[in-house]
Amino acid sequence: MTLTCELDPTVDEELREGILALWTAVSNAGGAVGFVPPVTPEDIRPDCERSLAAIGAGQRRLIVGRDEEGRVAATAFLAYNDHRLMTHWLWVYTVMVHPRHQGRGYGRTLMAAVERAARGFHGIEAIRLTCRGGTGADAFYSACGYKEVGRVPAAIRVAPGDDRDDIIMLRAL
């Protein structure tokens, strides 16, 4: 099975609903994408709409991965810095692979597409992201060439008594 990635797809209703369904499935499977299960699509819709609006405003770019059936199976949002001293690197947010596809290399394919896209953006020298400690995501990103450059202990409160580190990772290009 393969994942086909596209930078800057047309954001239509099918894509909106596909991203919303993906975000809901990933969240309910315990993925660290801003929510704690259980969630409904309506819980996630405001965040999804804000992310898509940022694309329309030119503040973010989107990479969508589709499975062999053409369904939205993965996403990553890339955000430029608006601070004049930090325009040489960009952020990656909301990296998701549908739970039914995890373990098939889709995550690596998606992160390779992120790197290819970033290399094509004028003046970009690095990619930065954060991930939630205790999920194993840091090991995944390390395997994709990212290095841990910082950690804020207990910065993410998943539930009372369940605080996680916010891990900052960087991929130089």
Side-chain angles (χ1 to χ4, degrees):
M1 296 195 149
T2 59
L3 182 73
T4 303
C5 293
E6 178 183 6
L7 175 65
D8 299 329
T10 300
V11 178
D12 57 15
E13 193 60 27
E14 179 271 332
L15 183 62
R16 285 177 185 282
E17 292 304 313
I19 292 171
L20 185 61
L22 171 65
W23 207 331
T24 303
V26 169
S27 296
N28 282 326
V33 289
F35 296 90
V36 176
V39 295
T40 67
E42 293 315 307
D43 296 326
I44 293 171
R45 190 176 301 279
D47 284 35
C48 185
E49 290 301 324
R50 273 191 296 278
S51 292
L52 295 173
I55 292 167
Q59 299 165 327
R60 290 191 181 185
R61 309 279 295 267
L62 173 63
I63 296 177
V64 170
R66 293 185 180 272
D67 63 17
E68 290 177 337
E69 296 175 9
R71 294 179 297 192
V72 174
T75 62
F77 289 89
L78 291 72
Y80 294 109
N81 283 293
D82 56 10
H83 190 286
R84 68 186 139 290
L85 303 179
M86 298 183 191
T87 59
H88 60 288
W89 59 268
L90 57 79
W91 286 101
V92 177
Y93 293 105
T94 322
V95 175
M96 300 185 283
V97 173
H98 198 286
R100 74 174 163 263
H101 295 301
Q102 291 179 0
R104 298 180 182 174
Y106 280 25
R108 285 182 183 267
T109 299
L110 178 64
M111 295 312 292
V114 166
E115 183 179 339
R116 275 192 309 280
R119 287 182 186 279
F121 299 161
H122 177 72
I124 298 299
E125 300 172 12
I127 306 166
R128 189 168 161 184
L129 58 80
T130 63
C131 60
R132 185 186 301 169
T135 64
D138 53 329
F140 166 74
Y141 291 120
S142 290
C144 292
Y146 289 74
K147 295 192 183 324
E148 182 177 329
V149 295
R151 183 180 288 252
V152 182
I156 302 167
R157 180 155 294 156
V158 177
D162 186 2
D163 293 347
R164 307 287 180 89
D165 294 352
D166 188 16
I167 304 168
I168 304 155
M169 303 195 77
L170 185 77
R171 171 78 166 105
L173 299 175

